Amino acid sequence: MNDVVCAAAWNRLSLLPSQKLSPCCAYSNPIDPNSVVLRDALSFDMHEKIRLQMMSGIKPTGCSTCFRRENNGLSSKRNRLNEKGIPNDVELKYLEIAVGTPCNLDCVMCSSAYSSSWVKREKALRRKVHDQYQISDRLVDEFCEIIREKKLNVELIGGEPFFNKASYKIIDAMIESGHSHDLSVTSNCTIVDQNIIEKLETLNTNVVASIDAVGDLYEYIRGTKWDAVENNLYDLARSNINTLMIYPTVTIYNVFSLDAVVDLFLRLRDMRPEGKKTEIKINVSSFPEYTCISSMPENVRAKVTDKSIMVSSALSNMPYTDSSCAVSWTSKMNDMRGVKAWDIVTGK
């Protein structure tokens, strides 16, 4: 049974960037939040059906993303959620809230499905522009009420959470409740000031910093200035937040430059107050294909095996996908950034 079970079906409710409800952000068959009472959502058909399937050893179709990643030797959301064990009872303990698509960056591996900054870019590239979403005031109020009542732990994702006023209302509700909540925020760390840090220090906070590279390569991938982000990371490292996690997404652009991210992690670790944690976890991206390392031909893959042990095992399980889309996309990104990715990587 444990081969297919996921804790999310027992204790977690997730609001996706599309503003649909699911057990977690990786689940592919979400429902309309207006169809359930949020505080009782785990007792409704979606969660109950998933639990019954998992207890029978059946892989729910909506969970295919996690099982596909695991089959390819990659870590999945299911793996991470199960690290704390499988609950024995059904009780809502965790809210994962995507506050919407508003975001201040246009990262090269992203799209308007997750970032409002990509809307103009995609129009210019004549690509599909996805609908944009913002969590409603009604849902924010309902979540805040449930957080106070049930002493829930919260994970904020986006878009960019710190670019969205709803995040601050949710964080304030956690602080005002007086409970010892766990808060996790996945952030690009471009919008960090002392006021934000003081709020985060009030809770048991884990900041998951989406940092894929440093210097010029970071600026190419994320589309913003590195120096400001680096300073924000130093401020977070010196703060009293519980955990600062560096979470690089591995793509064709940074697969040969991860040593620099590890060096950054070590510098940040040295700055942390005693008893405060610093972690690094590698996310080997499997989507979109045109930025995924699966698009690299065999002669390039061999170099990854030699120089980047952290991702070589995952790469060995990835079937080759056509590299022509990656080349075409990179050409467009080079034009968008005004510099060639290869020149940055090779130092030309």
Side-chain angles (χ1 to χ4, degrees):
M1 184 179 73
N2 290 337
D3 289 341
V4 300
V5 166
C6 177
W10 273 260
N11 62 17
R12 193 177 188 90
L13 184 64
S14 177
L15 182 72
L16 305 180
S18 63
Q19 302 302 284
K20 295 291 184 71
L21 286 178
S22 71
C24 83
C25 64
Y27 188 74
S28 61
N29 294 324
I31 61 173
D32 189 325
N34 294 316
S35 66
V36 298
V37 179
L38 290 181
R39 68 182 65 253
D40 298 322
L42 300 192
S43 300
F44 280 72
D45 291 348
M46 177 176 62
H47 280 75
E48 186 173 2
K49 182 179 179 181
I50 293 170
R51 289 194 297 270
L52 288 171
Q53 289 178 322
M54 288 180 170
M55 287 187 293
S56 301
I58 299 170
K59 296 178 179 179
T61 56
C63 301
S64 59
T65 297
C66 282
F67 293 122
R68 183 169 59 251
R69 285 183 65 87
E70 292 166 20
N71 288 338
N72 289 333
L74 301 175
S75 176
S76 70
K77 182 83 170 185
R78 187 180 81 97
N79 295 151
R80 296 193 293 276
L81 295 181
N82 284 351
E83 288 177 357
K84 295 182 179 180
I86 308 298
N88 294 318
D89 55 354
V90 177
E91 182 182 1
L92 183 60
K93 293 183 178 180
Y94 300 94
L95 287 177
E96 180 181 40
I97 305 174
V99 287
T101 51
C103 184
N104 59 327
L105 297 188
D106 53 1
C107 307
V108 294
M109 62 285 197
C110 197
S111 72
S112 60
Y114 303 98
S115 169
S116 56
S117 292
W118 261 103
V119 172
K120 289 184 178 180
R121 297 291 194 185
E122 288 184 329
K123 287 180 179 179
L125 293 171
R126 297 183 179 179
R127 282 164 47 97
K128 176 185 176 181
V129 177
H130 293 80
D131 292 336
Q132 298 299 288
Y133 298 97
Q134 166 66 32
I135 187 172
S136 68
D137 290 340
R138 180 188 66 81
L139 273 178
V140 171
D141 290 342
E142 284 194 53
F143 278 130
C144 287
E145 183 180 344
I146 298 170
I147 288 167
R148 294 188 189 101
E149 175 191 333
K150 293 182 175 287
K151 307 177 184 179
L152 298 180
N153 303 306
V154 176
E155 181 177 345
L156 291 176
I157 57 177
E160 167 52 40
F162 292 136
F163 190 63
N164 197 311
K165 64 181 181 180
S167 299
Y168 299 100
K169 190 169 183 180
I170 292 168
I171 292 172
D172 285 343
M174 298 175 73
I175 294 171
E176 291 162 5
S177 72
H179 301 307
S180 182
H181 298 280
D182 290 342
L183 170 66
S184 177
V185 185
T186 299
S187 172
N188 58 39
C189 295
T190 56
I191 307 171
V192 175
D193 59 27
Q194 195 56 40
N195 181 55
I196 291 174
I197 290 175
E198 287 176 2
K199 288 179 181 290
L200 299 181
E201 289 177 324
T202 307
L203 302 165
N204 298 321
T205 300
N206 173 28
V207 173
V208 181
S210 300
I211 305 296
D212 317 298
V214 304
D216 291 343
L217 184 57
Y218 172 88
E219 295 184 0
Y220 180 92
I221 294 172
R222 295 282 171 173
T224 192
K225 294 297 183 182
W226 168 245
D227 288 348
V229 174
E230 185 179 31
N231 288 332
N232 288 342
L233 289 171
Y234 290 159
D235 288 341
L236 286 166
R238 296 186 187 102
S239 76
N240 284 307
I241 63 170
N242 278 2
T243 306
L244 175 60
M245 178 187 292
I246 304 302
Y247 193 62
T249 295
V250 179
T251 64
I252 55 176
Y253 303 110
N254 66 342
V255 67
F256 295 109
S257 305
L258 293 175
D259 286 349
V261 180
V262 174
D263 290 342
L264 170 67
F265 160 75
L266 295 174
R267 293 199 303 275
L268 295 171
R269 188 181 64 180
D270 290 342
M271 296 178 184
R272 299 246 58 202
E274 185 177 354
K276 302 302 180 181
K277 298 178 183 178
T278 318
E279 299 177 356
I280 183 168
K281 287 189 178 181
I282 305 297
N283 173 37
V284 181
S285 175
S286 58
F287 180 84
E289 283 191 357
Y290 49 81
T291 65
C292 178
I293 58 176
S294 63
S295 66
M296 297 189 302
E298 287 301 324
N299 61 322
V300 180
R301 287 177 176 231
K303 296 178 181 179
V304 174
T305 302
D306 292 341
K307 296 184 178 181
S308 303
I309 298 173
M310 287 182 289
V311 297
S312 60
S313 59
L315 182 59
S316 66
N317 289 296
M318 286 185 169
Y320 172 69
T321 56
D322 182 22
S323 61
S324 60
C325 289
V327 172
S328 174
W329 181 252
T330 301
S331 177
K332 293 174 182 177
M333 295 303 96
N334 290 345
D335 291 340
M336 188 172 89
R337 298 292 192 234
V339 62
K340 293 181 179 179
W342 184 247
D343 289 347
I344 297 174
V345 173
T346 59
K348 291 184 178 179

